[in-house]
Amino acid sequence: MNGDFVYEALPMRVVFRPGAATTAVPPEAARLGLRRLLVLSGTRGLGTAQAVADSLGESCVGLHPGAVMHVPVEVADEAVEVARKLDADGCVAVGGGSAIGLGKAIALRAGLPLIAVPSTYAGSEMTPVWGLTEGGVKSTGRDPRVLPRSVVYDPELTLTMPPALSVTSGMNALAHAAEALYAPDASPVISLMAEEGVRSLAAALPAIAEDPSASGPRAQALYGAWLCGACLGATTMGLHHKLCHVLGGAFDLPHAATHTVLLPYVLAFNSSATPAASAALRRALGGAPDPAAELHALARRLGAPRSLADLGLPADGIPHAAHLAASAPYANPRPASPDDLRTILTSAYAGTPPPPSAA
Ligand code: NAD
Protein backbone atom coordinates (compact mmCIF):
# COMPACT_ATOMS: atom_id res chain seq x y z
CA MET A 1 0.00 0.00 0.00
CA ASN A 2 1.13 3.54 -0.72
CA GLY A 3 0.85 5.07 2.78
CA ASP A 4 0.64 8.65 1.50
CA PHE A 5 -2.83 9.95 0.70
CA VAL A 6 -5.54 12.53 1.36
CA TYR A 7 -9.15 11.42 1.73
CA GLU A 8 -12.00 13.89 1.97
CA ALA A 9 -15.45 12.39 2.53
CA LEU A 10 -18.23 14.11 0.63
CA PRO A 11 -21.38 14.77 2.66
CA MET A 12 -23.65 12.33 0.85
CA ARG A 13 -26.78 10.60 2.07
CA VAL A 14 -28.06 7.49 0.28
CA VAL A 15 -31.35 5.67 0.58
CA PHE A 16 -31.26 2.38 -1.36
CA ARG A 17 -34.47 0.35 -1.57
CA PRO A 18 -36.81 -1.18 -4.17
CA GLY A 19 -39.75 1.20 -4.55
CA ALA A 20 -37.86 4.08 -2.92
CA ALA A 21 -38.61 6.54 -5.75
CA THR A 22 -42.12 6.98 -4.38
CA THR A 23 -41.75 5.80 -0.78
CA ALA A 24 -38.49 7.51 0.22
CA VAL A 25 -38.56 10.83 -1.62
CA PRO A 26 -41.31 12.40 0.56
CA PRO A 27 -39.55 11.61 3.88
CA GLU A 28 -36.21 12.75 2.43
CA ALA A 29 -37.80 16.06 1.39
CA ALA A 30 -39.36 16.45 4.84
CA ARG A 31 -36.02 15.71 6.49
CA LEU A 32 -34.46 18.52 4.46
CA GLY A 33 -37.35 20.86 5.33
CA LEU A 34 -38.37 21.21 1.66
CA ARG A 35 -42.06 21.94 0.99
CA ARG A 36 -42.15 23.38 -2.55
CA LEU A 37 -40.33 20.93 -4.78
CA LEU A 38 -39.96 21.07 -8.54
CA VAL A 39 -39.62 17.60 -10.09
CA LEU A 40 -37.31 17.40 -13.14
CA SER A 41 -37.03 14.72 -15.83
CA GLY A 42 -36.51 14.15 -19.53
CA THR A 43 -39.55 13.46 -21.72
CA ARG A 44 -38.90 9.71 -21.66
CA GLY A 45 -38.84 9.58 -17.87
CA LEU A 46 -42.01 11.64 -17.50
CA GLY A 47 -44.17 8.73 -16.26
CA THR A 48 -41.82 7.92 -13.39
CA ALA A 49 -41.33 11.59 -12.59
CA GLN A 50 -45.12 12.02 -12.41
CA ALA A 51 -45.33 9.15 -9.91
CA VAL A 52 -42.64 10.84 -7.79
CA ALA A 53 -44.51 14.16 -8.05
CA ASP A 54 -47.76 12.46 -6.99
CA SER A 55 -46.03 10.84 -4.01
CA LEU A 56 -44.99 14.31 -2.82
CA GLY A 57 -48.60 15.57 -2.84
CA GLU A 58 -48.78 19.24 -1.81
CA SER A 59 -45.00 19.40 -1.39
CA CYS A 60 -44.66 19.33 -5.20
CA VAL A 61 -45.22 22.65 -6.98
CA GLY A 62 -44.53 21.43 -10.51
CA LEU A 63 -43.07 18.95 -12.94
CA HIS A 64 -40.63 20.10 -15.63
CA PRO A 65 -39.76 17.37 -18.18
CA GLY A 66 -37.19 19.55 -20.00
CA ALA A 67 -33.93 17.65 -19.43
CA VAL A 68 -31.82 16.87 -22.52
CA MET A 69 -28.29 15.50 -22.98
CA HIS A 70 -25.33 17.71 -21.92
CA VAL A 71 -27.47 20.48 -20.33
CA PRO A 72 -27.57 23.25 -22.98
CA VAL A 73 -27.44 26.70 -21.35
CA GLU A 74 -30.88 27.68 -22.78
CA VAL A 75 -32.40 24.55 -21.22
CA ALA A 76 -30.84 25.40 -17.86
CA ASP A 77 -32.02 29.04 -18.11
CA GLU A 78 -35.57 27.94 -18.82
CA ALA A 79 -35.59 25.49 -15.90
CA VAL A 80 -34.24 28.14 -13.51
CA GLU A 81 -37.03 30.45 -14.69
CA VAL A 82 -39.66 27.74 -14.07
CA ALA A 83 -38.26 27.14 -10.58
CA ARG A 84 -38.33 30.89 -9.80
CA LYS A 85 -41.89 31.37 -11.11
CA LEU A 86 -43.13 28.46 -9.01
CA ASP A 87 -41.16 29.72 -5.99
CA ALA A 88 -39.64 26.24 -5.61
CA ASP A 89 -37.45 25.65 -2.54
CA GLY A 90 -35.74 22.56 -3.97
CA CYS A 91 -35.65 20.10 -6.88
CA VAL A 92 -36.03 16.37 -7.31
CA ALA A 93 -34.23 15.11 -10.46
CA VAL A 94 -35.58 11.79 -11.73
CA GLY A 95 -33.60 10.13 -14.54
CA GLY A 96 -30.10 9.61 -15.88
CA GLY A 97 -27.13 11.95 -15.94
CA SER A 98 -29.02 14.43 -18.12
CA ALA A 99 -31.90 14.98 -15.66
CA ILE A 100 -29.52 15.11 -12.70
CA GLY A 101 -27.32 17.52 -14.67
CA LEU A 102 -30.31 19.86 -15.04
CA GLY A 103 -30.94 19.69 -11.29
CA LYS A 104 -27.29 20.56 -10.70
CA ALA A 105 -27.54 23.55 -13.05
CA ILE A 106 -30.48 24.89 -11.00
CA ALA A 107 -28.56 24.23 -7.78
CA LEU A 108 -25.61 26.15 -9.21
CA ARG A 109 -27.57 29.12 -10.51
CA ALA A 110 -30.42 29.45 -8.03
CA GLY A 111 -28.92 27.71 -4.98
CA LEU A 112 -31.80 25.22 -4.68
CA PRO A 113 -30.98 21.94 -2.87
CA LEU A 114 -31.26 18.80 -4.97
CA ILE A 115 -32.62 15.31 -4.31
CA ALA A 116 -31.47 12.85 -7.02
CA VAL A 117 -33.36 9.74 -8.10
CA PRO A 118 -31.06 8.07 -10.66
CA SER A 119 -32.41 5.73 -13.33
CA THR A 120 -29.09 4.83 -15.02
CA TYR A 121 -25.60 3.88 -13.83
CA ALA A 122 -23.86 7.11 -14.97
CA GLY A 123 -22.96 8.26 -11.44
CA SER A 124 -23.53 12.02 -11.65
CA GLU A 125 -25.58 11.95 -8.43
CA MET A 126 -22.42 11.19 -6.44
CA THR A 127 -20.32 14.09 -7.68
CA PRO A 128 -20.03 17.84 -7.07
CA VAL A 129 -19.33 18.27 -10.81
CA TRP A 130 -21.67 20.29 -13.02
CA GLY A 131 -21.66 20.56 -16.82
CA LEU A 132 -23.23 23.14 -19.14
CA THR A 133 -23.07 23.33 -22.94
CA GLU A 134 -23.01 26.63 -24.82
CA GLY A 135 -22.40 26.99 -28.56
CA GLY A 136 -21.36 23.33 -28.79
CA VAL A 137 -18.73 23.69 -26.07
CA LYS A 138 -19.27 21.88 -22.78
CA SER A 139 -17.84 23.48 -19.65
CA THR A 140 -17.60 21.64 -16.37
CA GLY A 141 -16.71 22.69 -12.86
CA ARG A 142 -16.75 21.50 -9.27
CA ASP A 143 -18.99 23.19 -6.73
CA PRO A 144 -20.14 21.66 -3.45
CA ARG A 145 -23.58 23.28 -3.89
CA VAL A 146 -24.46 20.92 -6.75
CA LEU A 147 -23.83 17.71 -4.81
CA PRO A 148 -27.29 16.24 -4.15
CA ARG A 149 -28.36 16.50 -0.49
CA SER A 150 -29.95 13.10 -0.72
CA VAL A 151 -29.75 10.31 -3.31
CA VAL A 152 -32.63 7.86 -3.56
CA TYR A 153 -31.59 4.67 -5.37
CA ASP A 154 -34.53 2.57 -6.50
CA PRO A 155 -33.44 -0.50 -8.50
CA GLU A 156 -36.99 -0.84 -9.85
CA LEU A 157 -36.46 2.33 -11.92
CA THR A 158 -33.64 0.62 -13.79
CA LEU A 159 -35.80 -2.31 -14.92
CA THR A 160 -36.91 -0.32 -17.96
CA MET A 161 -33.35 0.23 -19.20
CA PRO A 162 -33.01 -1.94 -22.31
CA PRO A 163 -30.15 -4.50 -22.10
CA ALA A 164 -27.96 -2.49 -24.51
CA LEU A 165 -28.24 0.71 -22.44
CA SER A 166 -27.80 -1.29 -19.20
CA VAL A 167 -24.52 -2.72 -20.48
CA THR A 168 -23.05 0.55 -21.78
CA SER A 169 -24.23 2.53 -18.75
CA GLY A 170 -22.71 -0.13 -16.48
CA MET A 171 -19.41 0.06 -18.40
CA ASN A 172 -19.54 3.85 -18.02
CA ALA A 173 -19.73 3.37 -14.24
CA LEU A 174 -16.98 0.79 -14.30
CA ALA A 175 -14.71 3.28 -16.10
CA HIS A 176 -15.02 5.70 -13.14
CA ALA A 177 -13.78 3.00 -10.76
CA ALA A 178 -11.00 1.88 -13.10
CA GLU A 179 -9.54 5.40 -13.36
CA ALA A 180 -10.06 6.08 -9.63
CA LEU A 181 -7.74 3.15 -8.89
CA TYR A 182 -4.80 4.98 -10.49
CA ALA A 183 -5.87 8.60 -9.90
CA PRO A 184 -3.30 11.01 -8.42
CA ASP A 185 -5.68 11.48 -5.48
CA ALA A 186 -6.48 7.78 -5.04
CA SER A 187 -6.83 6.59 -1.47
CA PRO A 188 -7.28 3.16 0.17
CA VAL A 189 -10.94 3.86 0.97
CA ILE A 190 -11.79 4.87 -2.59
CA SER A 191 -9.83 1.89 -3.96
CA LEU A 192 -11.96 -0.43 -1.82
CA MET A 193 -15.10 1.13 -3.23
CA ALA A 194 -13.71 0.95 -6.76
CA GLU A 195 -12.84 -2.72 -6.52
CA GLU A 196 -16.22 -3.61 -5.03
CA GLY A 197 -17.99 -1.47 -7.65
CA VAL A 198 -16.24 -3.26 -10.52
CA ARG A 199 -16.90 -6.65 -8.92
CA SER A 200 -20.62 -5.89 -8.54
CA LEU A 201 -21.09 -4.57 -12.06
CA ALA A 202 -19.03 -7.29 -13.74
CA ALA A 203 -21.18 -9.91 -12.01
CA ALA A 204 -24.51 -8.14 -12.59
CA LEU A 205 -24.26 -7.06 -16.23
CA PRO A 206 -24.19 -10.57 -17.78
CA ALA A 207 -27.17 -11.54 -15.61
CA ILE A 208 -29.06 -8.41 -16.72
CA ALA A 209 -28.27 -9.08 -20.38
CA GLU A 210 -29.68 -12.58 -19.92
CA ASP A 211 -32.79 -11.51 -18.01
CA PRO A 212 -33.40 -7.73 -17.87
CA SER A 213 -36.41 -8.25 -15.60
CA ALA A 214 -34.52 -10.02 -12.77
CA SER A 215 -34.50 -7.78 -9.71
CA GLY A 216 -31.40 -9.20 -7.94
CA PRO A 217 -28.90 -8.29 -10.67
CA ARG A 218 -30.56 -4.88 -11.06
CA ALA A 219 -29.97 -4.13 -7.38
CA GLN A 220 -26.41 -5.41 -7.60
CA ALA A 221 -25.65 -3.25 -10.65
CA LEU A 222 -27.12 -0.12 -9.06
CA TYR A 223 -25.15 -0.77 -5.88
CA GLY A 224 -22.01 -1.06 -8.02
CA ALA A 225 -22.94 2.13 -9.87
CA TRP A 226 -23.29 3.97 -6.56
CA LEU A 227 -19.78 2.93 -5.51
CA CYS A 228 -18.30 3.79 -8.92
CA GLY A 229 -20.06 7.18 -8.87
CA ALA A 230 -18.58 7.88 -5.45
CA CYS A 231 -15.13 7.09 -6.90
CA LEU A 232 -15.78 9.59 -9.70
CA GLY A 233 -16.77 12.26 -7.18
CA ALA A 234 -13.71 11.71 -5.01
CA THR A 235 -10.85 11.51 -7.52
CA THR A 236 -9.38 13.13 -10.62
CA MET A 237 -10.08 11.17 -13.77
CA GLY A 238 -7.37 10.47 -16.37
CA LEU A 239 -6.81 9.84 -20.07
CA HIS A 240 -9.89 7.67 -20.56
CA HIS A 241 -12.34 10.33 -19.32
CA LYS A 242 -10.39 13.00 -21.19
CA LEU A 243 -10.74 11.14 -24.51
CA CYS A 244 -14.44 10.42 -23.89
CA HIS A 245 -15.04 14.11 -23.14
CA VAL A 246 -13.28 15.11 -26.37
CA LEU A 247 -15.16 12.53 -28.48
CA GLY A 248 -18.51 13.50 -26.96
CA GLY A 249 -17.91 17.24 -27.33
CA ALA A 250 -16.32 17.35 -30.79
CA PHE A 251 -18.18 14.50 -32.50
CA ASP A 252 -21.33 14.14 -30.42
CA LEU A 253 -20.64 10.44 -29.83
CA PRO A 254 -23.02 8.77 -27.35
CA HIS A 255 -21.72 9.09 -23.79
CA ALA A 256 -22.01 5.61 -22.27
CA ALA A 257 -21.22 3.71 -25.49
CA THR A 258 -18.05 5.76 -26.03
CA HIS A 259 -16.86 4.85 -22.53
CA THR A 260 -17.60 1.19 -23.27
CA VAL A 261 -15.59 1.06 -26.49
CA LEU A 262 -12.60 3.08 -25.31
CA LEU A 263 -11.92 1.79 -21.79
CA PRO A 264 -9.98 -1.42 -22.65
CA TYR A 265 -7.55 0.47 -24.92
CA VAL A 266 -6.72 3.10 -22.29
CA LEU A 267 -6.35 0.48 -19.55
CA ALA A 268 -3.98 -1.52 -21.75
CA PHE A 269 -1.95 1.63 -22.49
CA ASN A 270 -1.74 2.61 -18.82
CA SER A 271 -1.08 -0.89 -17.50
CA SER A 272 2.73 -0.62 -17.42
CA ALA A 273 2.39 2.33 -15.00
CA THR A 274 -0.46 0.96 -12.86
CA PRO A 275 0.43 -2.45 -11.37
CA ALA A 276 -1.64 -1.99 -8.18
CA ALA A 277 -4.72 -0.84 -10.12
CA SER A 278 -4.36 -3.77 -12.53
CA ALA A 279 -4.11 -6.18 -9.58
CA ALA A 280 -7.31 -4.73 -8.07
CA LEU A 281 -9.11 -5.07 -11.42
CA ARG A 282 -7.88 -8.66 -11.78
CA ARG A 283 -9.31 -9.49 -8.34
CA ALA A 284 -12.60 -7.74 -9.16
CA LEU A 285 -12.87 -9.55 -12.50
CA GLY A 286 -12.62 -13.00 -10.98
CA GLY A 287 -8.89 -13.46 -11.49
CA ALA A 288 -8.86 -12.56 -15.20
CA PRO A 289 -5.15 -12.26 -16.10
CA ASP A 290 -5.54 -9.22 -18.36
CA PRO A 291 -8.29 -6.79 -17.18
CA ALA A 292 -8.28 -4.77 -20.42
CA ALA A 293 -8.74 -7.90 -22.56
CA GLU A 294 -11.39 -9.17 -20.16
CA LEU A 295 -13.43 -5.95 -20.33
CA HIS A 296 -13.13 -5.89 -24.12
CA ALA A 297 -14.36 -9.49 -24.31
CA LEU A 298 -17.13 -8.87 -21.75
CA ALA A 299 -18.51 -5.92 -23.73
CA ARG A 300 -18.52 -8.04 -26.90
CA ARG A 301 -20.19 -10.98 -25.19
CA LEU A 302 -22.93 -8.65 -23.96
CA GLY A 303 -23.52 -7.16 -27.41
CA ALA A 304 -22.13 -3.67 -26.77
CA PRO A 305 -21.02 -1.50 -29.74
CA ARG A 306 -17.68 -2.73 -31.02
CA SER A 307 -15.79 0.32 -32.26
CA LEU A 308 -15.67 4.10 -32.48
CA ALA A 309 -16.45 3.66 -36.19
CA ASP A 310 -19.72 1.96 -35.17
CA LEU A 311 -20.50 4.97 -32.97
CA GLY A 312 -20.11 7.36 -35.89
CA LEU A 313 -16.57 8.73 -35.52
CA PRO A 314 -15.29 9.63 -39.00
CA ALA A 315 -11.86 8.15 -39.79
CA ASP A 316 -10.42 11.61 -40.38
CA GLY A 317 -11.62 12.61 -36.90
CA ILE A 318 -8.83 10.64 -35.22
CA PRO A 319 -6.05 13.24 -35.66
CA HIS A 320 -8.40 16.03 -34.57
CA ALA A 321 -9.47 14.12 -31.44
CA ALA A 322 -5.82 13.31 -30.63
CA HIS A 323 -4.89 16.96 -31.08
CA LEU A 324 -7.73 18.14 -28.81
CA ALA A 325 -6.81 15.63 -26.11
CA ALA A 326 -3.11 16.56 -26.31
CA SER A 327 -3.77 20.30 -26.13
CA ALA A 328 -5.30 20.44 -22.62
CA PRO A 329 -3.61 19.02 -19.53
CA TYR A 330 -5.10 16.05 -17.67
CA ALA A 331 -3.94 13.63 -15.00
CA ASN A 332 -2.67 10.24 -16.16
CA PRO A 333 -0.24 7.72 -14.68
CA ARG A 334 1.57 7.30 -18.00
CA PRO A 335 2.27 10.30 -20.23
CA ALA A 336 0.67 9.90 -23.66
CA SER A 337 2.32 11.51 -26.69
CA PRO A 338 0.22 12.65 -29.67
CA ASP A 339 1.39 9.46 -31.42
CA ASP A 340 0.21 7.34 -28.47
CA LEU A 341 -3.18 9.06 -28.58
CA ARG A 342 -3.51 8.39 -32.30
CA THR A 343 -2.58 4.74 -31.77
CA ILE A 344 -5.17 4.29 -28.99
CA LEU A 345 -7.87 6.00 -31.05
CA THR A 346 -7.00 4.06 -34.20
CA SER A 347 -7.35 0.73 -32.39
CA ALA A 348 -10.63 1.81 -30.77
CA TYR A 349 -11.85 3.08 -34.14
CA ALA A 350 -11.26 -0.35 -35.66
CA GLY A 351 -12.41 -2.29 -32.59
CA THR A 352 -9.45 -4.68 -32.75
CA PRO A 353 -8.51 -6.40 -29.47
CA PRO A 354 -6.43 -4.12 -27.19
CA PRO A 355 -2.70 -4.85 -27.02
CA PRO A 356 -1.69 -7.20 -24.16
CA SER A 357 -1.48 -5.42 -20.80
CA ALA A 358 1.76 -5.35 -18.83
CA ALA A 359 1.81 -8.24 -16.34
P1 NAD B 1 -29.09 10.18 -20.09
O1 NAD B 1 -29.52 10.71 -18.77
O2 NAD B 1 -29.04 11.15 -21.23
O3 NAD B 1 -29.97 8.93 -20.45
C1 NAD B 1 -29.69 8.22 -21.66
C2 NAD B 1 -30.98 7.75 -22.31
O4 NAD B 1 -31.55 6.76 -21.50
C3 NAD B 1 -32.03 8.84 -22.44
O5 NAD B 1 -32.69 8.68 -23.65
C4 NAD B 1 -32.96 8.57 -21.26
O6 NAD B 1 -34.29 8.97 -21.53
C5 NAD B 1 -32.90 7.06 -21.19
N1 NAD B 1 -33.14 6.49 -19.87
C6 NAD B 1 -32.70 6.94 -18.67
N2 NAD B 1 -33.10 6.12 -17.69
C7 NAD B 1 -33.81 5.12 -18.28
C8 NAD B 1 -34.48 3.98 -17.80
N3 NAD B 1 -34.47 3.64 -16.50
N4 NAD B 1 -35.12 3.19 -18.69
C9 NAD B 1 -35.09 3.46 -20.02
N5 NAD B 1 -34.46 4.54 -20.54
C10 NAD B 1 -33.83 5.36 -19.67
O7 NAD B 1 -27.63 9.52 -20.04
P2 NAD B 1 -26.68 9.02 -18.85
O8 NAD B 1 -25.72 8.09 -19.51
O9 NAD B 1 -27.43 8.59 -17.67
O10 NAD B 1 -25.92 10.35 -18.46
C11 NAD B 1 -25.06 10.96 -19.40
C12 NAD B 1 -24.95 12.44 -19.10
O11 NAD B 1 -24.61 12.64 -17.74
C13 NAD B 1 -23.85 13.08 -19.94
O12 NAD B 1 -24.26 14.40 -20.29
C14 NAD B 1 -22.68 13.12 -18.97
O13 NAD B 1 -21.77 14.12 -19.28
C15 NAD B 1 -23.39 13.38 -17.67
N6 NAD B 1 -22.64 12.91 -16.49
C16 NAD B 1 -22.24 13.83 -15.59
C17 NAD B 1 -21.53 13.44 -14.48
C18 NAD B 1 -21.11 14.44 -13.46
O14 NAD B 1 -20.47 14.08 -12.49
N7 NAD B 1 -21.44 15.69 -13.65
C19 NAD B 1 -21.25 12.08 -14.26
C20 NAD B 1 -21.69 11.15 -15.19
C21 NAD B 1 -22.40 11.57 -16.32
Short mmCIF file of all heavy atoms in Angstrom, two decimals, residues 39-45 64-72 75-76 78-79 93-103:
data_model
loop_
_atom_site.label_atom_id
_atom_site.label_comp_id
_atom_site.label_asym_id
_atom_site.label_seq_id
_atom_site.Cartn_x
_atom_site.Cartn_y
_atom_site.Cartn_z
N VAL A 39 -40.13 18.89 -9.61
CA VAL A 39 -39.62 17.60 -10.09
C VAL A 39 -39.13 17.77 -11.53
O VAL A 39 -39.83 18.36 -12.36
CB VAL A 39 -40.71 16.51 -9.99
CG1 VAL A 39 -40.22 15.19 -10.57
CG2 VAL A 39 -41.12 16.31 -8.52
N LEU A 40 -37.94 17.25 -11.81
CA LEU A 40 -37.31 17.40 -13.14
C LEU A 40 -37.15 16.03 -13.78
O LEU A 40 -36.83 15.05 -13.09
CB LEU A 40 -35.92 18.01 -13.00
CG LEU A 40 -35.82 19.33 -12.24
CD1 LEU A 40 -34.36 19.60 -11.88
CD2 LEU A 40 -36.38 20.46 -13.09
N SER A 41 -37.29 15.97 -15.11
CA SER A 41 -37.03 14.72 -15.83
C SER A 41 -36.79 15.06 -17.30
O SER A 41 -36.95 16.21 -17.72
CB SER A 41 -38.23 13.77 -15.71
OG SER A 41 -39.30 14.23 -16.51
N GLY A 42 -36.46 14.02 -18.08
CA GLY A 42 -36.51 14.15 -19.53
C GLY A 42 -37.90 13.72 -19.98
O GLY A 42 -38.70 13.25 -19.16
N THR A 43 -38.19 13.84 -21.28
CA THR A 43 -39.55 13.46 -21.72
C THR A 43 -39.77 11.96 -21.54
O THR A 43 -40.84 11.54 -21.15
CB THR A 43 -39.80 13.84 -23.20
OG1 THR A 43 -38.65 13.47 -23.93
CG2 THR A 43 -40.04 15.31 -23.36
N ARG A 44 -38.72 11.15 -21.78
CA ARG A 44 -38.90 9.71 -21.66
C ARG A 44 -39.22 9.27 -20.24
O ARG A 44 -39.98 8.34 -20.01
CB ARG A 44 -37.64 8.98 -22.16
CG ARG A 44 -37.92 7.59 -22.69
CD ARG A 44 -36.79 6.64 -22.32
NE ARG A 44 -36.59 6.59 -20.90
CZ ARG A 44 -37.29 5.83 -20.06
NH1 ARG A 44 -38.21 5.04 -20.50
NH2 ARG A 44 -37.05 5.86 -18.76
N GLY A 45 -38.65 9.96 -19.27
CA GLY A 45 -38.84 9.58 -17.87
C GLY A 45 -40.05 10.23 -17.22
O GLY A 45 -40.22 10.16 -15.99
N HIS A 64 -41.23 19.50 -14.44
CA HIS A 64 -40.63 20.10 -15.63
C HIS A 64 -39.85 19.02 -16.39
O HIS A 64 -38.72 18.69 -16.01
CB HIS A 64 -39.70 21.24 -15.19
CG HIS A 64 -39.04 21.95 -16.33
ND1 HIS A 64 -39.74 22.67 -17.26
CD2 HIS A 64 -37.74 22.03 -16.69
CE1 HIS A 64 -38.89 23.16 -18.15
NE2 HIS A 64 -37.68 22.79 -17.83
N PRO A 65 -40.45 18.47 -17.47
CA PRO A 65 -39.76 17.37 -18.18
C PRO A 65 -38.83 17.88 -19.27
O PRO A 65 -38.83 17.39 -20.39
CB PRO A 65 -40.94 16.58 -18.78
CG PRO A 65 -42.00 17.61 -19.02
CD PRO A 65 -41.78 18.74 -18.04
N GLY A 66 -37.97 18.86 -18.96
CA GLY A 66 -37.19 19.55 -20.00
C GLY A 66 -35.75 19.09 -20.12
O GLY A 66 -34.98 19.70 -20.88
N ALA A 67 -35.35 18.03 -19.40
CA ALA A 67 -33.93 17.65 -19.43
C ALA A 67 -33.55 17.05 -20.77
O ALA A 67 -34.28 16.23 -21.33
CB ALA A 67 -33.64 16.63 -18.32
N VAL A 68 -32.39 17.47 -21.30
CA VAL A 68 -31.82 16.87 -22.52
C VAL A 68 -30.32 16.68 -22.28
O VAL A 68 -29.74 17.25 -21.36
CB VAL A 68 -32.04 17.73 -23.79
CG1 VAL A 68 -33.50 17.79 -24.16
CG2 VAL A 68 -31.48 19.12 -23.61
N MET A 69 -29.71 15.86 -23.13
CA MET A 69 -28.29 15.50 -22.98
C MET A 69 -27.39 16.74 -22.92
O MET A 69 -27.58 17.69 -23.69
CB MET A 69 -27.91 14.63 -24.19
CG MET A 69 -26.59 13.92 -24.07
SD MET A 69 -26.70 12.47 -23.00
CE MET A 69 -26.03 11.20 -24.03
N HIS A 70 -26.42 16.72 -22.03
CA HIS A 70 -25.33 17.71 -21.92
C HIS A 70 -25.76 19.09 -21.44
O HIS A 70 -24.99 20.05 -21.50
CB HIS A 70 -24.56 17.84 -23.24
CG HIS A 70 -23.96 16.55 -23.72
ND1 HIS A 70 -23.26 15.71 -22.87
CD2 HIS A 70 -23.98 15.92 -24.91
CE1 HIS A 70 -22.86 14.64 -23.53
NE2 HIS A 70 -23.30 14.73 -24.77
N VAL A 71 -26.99 19.24 -20.96
CA VAL A 71 -27.47 20.48 -20.33
C VAL A 71 -27.12 21.75 -21.12
O VAL A 71 -26.26 22.55 -20.70
CB VAL A 71 -26.96 20.62 -18.87
CG1 VAL A 71 -27.82 21.62 -18.11
CG2 VAL A 71 -26.93 19.28 -18.16
N PRO A 72 -27.78 21.98 -22.27
CA PRO A 72 -27.57 23.25 -22.98
C PRO A 72 -27.96 24.43 -22.08
O PRO A 72 -28.90 24.33 -21.29
CB PRO A 72 -28.53 23.14 -24.17
CG PRO A 72 -28.82 21.68 -24.32
CD PRO A 72 -28.73 21.10 -22.96
N VAL A 75 -31.55 25.49 -21.97
CA VAL A 75 -32.40 24.55 -21.22
C VAL A 75 -32.27 24.81 -19.72
O VAL A 75 -33.26 24.80 -18.97
CB VAL A 75 -32.00 23.10 -21.58
CG1 VAL A 75 -32.65 22.08 -20.66
CG2 VAL A 75 -32.39 22.79 -23.03
N ALA A 76 -31.06 25.08 -19.28
CA ALA A 76 -30.84 25.40 -17.86
C ALA A 76 -31.53 26.72 -17.50
O ALA A 76 -32.20 26.82 -16.46
CB ALA A 76 -29.34 25.48 -17.57
N GLU A 78 -34.12 28.11 -18.86
CA GLU A 78 -35.57 27.94 -18.82
C GLU A 78 -36.00 27.25 -17.51
O GLU A 78 -36.98 27.64 -16.87
CB GLU A 78 -36.02 27.10 -20.03
CG GLU A 78 -37.53 27.06 -20.18
CD GLU A 78 -37.98 25.95 -21.14
OE1 GLU A 78 -37.17 25.47 -21.94
OE2 GLU A 78 -39.16 25.57 -21.04
N ALA A 79 -35.24 26.23 -17.12
CA ALA A 79 -35.59 25.49 -15.90
C ALA A 79 -35.45 26.37 -14.66
O ALA A 79 -36.27 26.31 -13.74
CB ALA A 79 -34.71 24.24 -15.78
N ALA A 93 -34.56 15.51 -9.08
CA ALA A 93 -34.23 15.11 -10.46
C ALA A 93 -34.42 13.61 -10.59
O ALA A 93 -33.80 12.84 -9.85
CB ALA A 93 -32.80 15.50 -10.80
N VAL A 94 -35.28 13.21 -11.52
CA VAL A 94 -35.58 11.79 -11.73
C VAL A 94 -35.09 11.41 -13.13
O VAL A 94 -35.59 11.94 -14.13
CB VAL A 94 -37.11 11.56 -11.65
CG1 VAL A 94 -37.42 10.07 -11.82
CG2 VAL A 94 -37.68 12.07 -10.34
N GLY A 95 -34.07 10.54 -13.22
CA GLY A 95 -33.60 10.13 -14.54
C GLY A 95 -32.12 9.83 -14.55
O GLY A 95 -31.51 9.59 -13.50
N GLY A 96 -31.53 9.88 -15.73
CA GLY A 96 -30.10 9.61 -15.88
C GLY A 96 -29.27 10.87 -15.65
O GLY A 96 -29.75 11.85 -15.06
N GLY A 97 -28.05 10.83 -16.14
CA GLY A 97 -27.13 11.95 -15.94
C GLY A 97 -27.66 13.27 -16.50
O GLY A 97 -27.31 14.34 -15.99
N SER A 98 -28.51 13.19 -17.52
CA SER A 98 -29.02 14.43 -18.12
C SER A 98 -30.01 15.14 -17.18
O SER A 98 -29.93 16.36 -16.99
CB SER A 98 -29.69 14.14 -19.45
OG SER A 98 -28.75 13.56 -20.33
N ALA A 99 -30.94 14.38 -16.58
CA ALA A 99 -31.90 14.98 -15.66
C ALA A 99 -31.19 15.48 -14.40
O ALA A 99 -31.47 16.59 -13.90
CB ALA A 99 -32.98 13.96 -15.29
N ILE A 100 -30.25 14.69 -13.90
CA ILE A 100 -29.52 15.11 -12.70
C ILE A 100 -28.65 16.33 -13.01
O ILE A 100 -28.53 17.24 -12.20
CB ILE A 100 -28.71 13.92 -12.13
CG1 ILE A 100 -29.71 12.86 -11.62
CG2 ILE A 100 -27.78 14.36 -11.01
CD1 ILE A 100 -29.10 11.51 -11.30
N GLY A 101 -28.11 16.36 -14.24
CA GLY A 101 -27.32 17.52 -14.67
C GLY A 101 -28.16 18.79 -14.67
O GLY A 101 -27.68 19.88 -14.31
N LEU A 102 -29.44 18.68 -15.05
CA LEU A 102 -30.31 19.86 -15.04
C LEU A 102 -30.56 20.31 -13.60
O LEU A 102 -30.54 21.51 -13.30
CB LEU A 102 -31.64 19.53 -15.76
CG LEU A 102 -32.59 20.70 -15.92
CD1 LEU A 102 -31.97 21.85 -16.72
CD2 LEU A 102 -33.90 20.25 -16.60
N GLY A 103 -30.76 19.34 -12.70
CA GLY A 103 -30.94 19.69 -11.29
C GLY A 103 -29.70 20.39 -10.73
O GLY A 103 -29.80 21.35 -9.96
#
